[in-house]
Amino acid sequence: MRQLIAGNWKMFGKLADVTAFANAVKTAPAGADLLICPPFTLLERFAAALQGSAVAVGAQDCHPLPQGAHTGDISAPMLAEAGAAYVILGHSERRSDHGENNAVVRAKAEAAIAAGLTPIVCVGETEAEREAGEAEHVVRSQLLHSLPPGFAGVVAYEPVWAIGSGRTPTVDDVAAMHAAIRAALLAQLGPAAAELRILYGGSVKPDNAASLLALPEVGGALVGGASLKAEDFLAIASVAQRG
Ligand code: 13P
């Protein structure tokens, strides 16, 4: 399976960053599918700067409804109109900062699909849950309750304790979790789930990307901090599997 290398810019980035970053990534040799998810304010600029290239643009959240009196929110059809093809949903920072639970994530995933976007639904355990031996149980439960029936999108496994910490699980732990996620997806969604990409996220850097991306059932990476520099993002993409 051709891997997807997705950059999550979180609440970073200025208008002045867009042109140079877009020019660097759009001329890169295409070893993987590339996606950049900037803050809402840069979405349309990125979409324009990357138009005609193979690099896709995505958002980091959407509201479950297509429109309405919801101050400060942005709907999935609005994202599509701005040029997004993907939307990250249920990131652990949304779950903790905004109290998003699995039911909210599922409603957002349904809204994204209805608007023609590909949702990237994030799951992952906390450090306490891993230490208690509950990591797989927690992730299976998140999948069960966050993914709508017939889900045709991307899943991102991001252990909460690995995000922004410089720590990653061992390659054996990543491989075991991705195998468990694949099994859960097949049980939940049926044979079509064999084709879904399962990304790994959490402190993916140029120096650990090759070992993580070589693992079975790792369909790509969701990259935070290292996606802000085109050079690092491209270094990660350069070791992705072409499938
Ligand atoms: P870092 O790569 O900065 O650890 O962030 C991972 C992440 O949260 C991507 O969504």
Side-chain angles (χ1 to χ4, degrees):
M1 176 183 305
R2 191 178 160 88
Q3 291 186 320
L4 171 66
I5 307 300
N8 174 8
W9 273 27
K10 308 191 178 185
M11 199 171 69
F12 294 101
K14 299 193 182 105
L15 280 174
D17 302 327
V18 173
T19 307
F21 190 94
N23 285 342
V25 295
K26 75 181 175 190
T27 53
D33 291 336
L34 298 185
L35 166 66
I36 183 75
C37 300
F40 292 133
T41 50
L42 304 185
L43 201 56
E44 205 180 337
R45 294 285 183 114
F46 257 113
L50 292 169
Q51 197 168 25
S53 81
V55 184
V57 177
Q60 301 170 18
D61 180 45
C62 71
H63 193 277
L65 295 174
Q67 60 182 19
H70 300 287
T71 302
D73 281 313
I74 299 191
S75 74
M78 291 170 178
L79 298 177
E81 189 180 35
Y86 290 79
V87 58
I88 298 169
L89 296 173
H91 191 283
S92 65
E93 289 152 13
R94 301 280 325 166
R95 291 179 188 260
S96 63
D97 292 357
H98 298 276
E100 290 188 10
N101 60 23
N102 292 324
V104 169
V105 176
R106 176 179 159 154
K108 291 182 173 194
E110 284 171 343
I113 292 165
L117 302 175
T118 300
I120 301 177
V121 173
C122 302
V123 295
E125 81 285 358
T126 64
E127 185 153 37
E129 288 163 344
R130 175 157 288 272
E131 279 169 3
E134 289 172 1
E136 286 188 15
H137 169 75
V138 166
V139 166
R140 266 197 299 272
S141 171
Q142 287 173 329
L143 292 170
L144 193 61
H145 300 291
S146 299
L147 302 183
F151 177 76
V154 178
V155 170
Y157 168 56
E158 298 206 304
V160 178
W161 53 274
I163 294 173
S165 66
R167 298 159 60 210
T168 59
T170 65
V171 286
D172 287 349
D173 284 345
V174 174
M177 182 59 87
H178 278 244
I181 291 173
R182 177 70 68 203
L185 292 176
L186 287 167
Q188 191 177 329
L189 301 168
E195 303 302 321
L196 300 186
R197 287 196 272 212
I198 307 167
L199 311 184
Y200 169 78
S203 295
V204 177
K205 306 289 177 197
D207 62 359
N208 63 15
S211 57
L212 292 163
L213 290 170
L215 296 171
E217 301 295 6
V218 171
L222 183 53
V223 185
S227 72
L228 292 167
K229 271 177 65 183
E231 190 188 342
D232 288 350
F233 186 60
L234 291 173
I236 293 167
S238 74
V239 296
Q241 316 289 311
R242 284 151 207 268

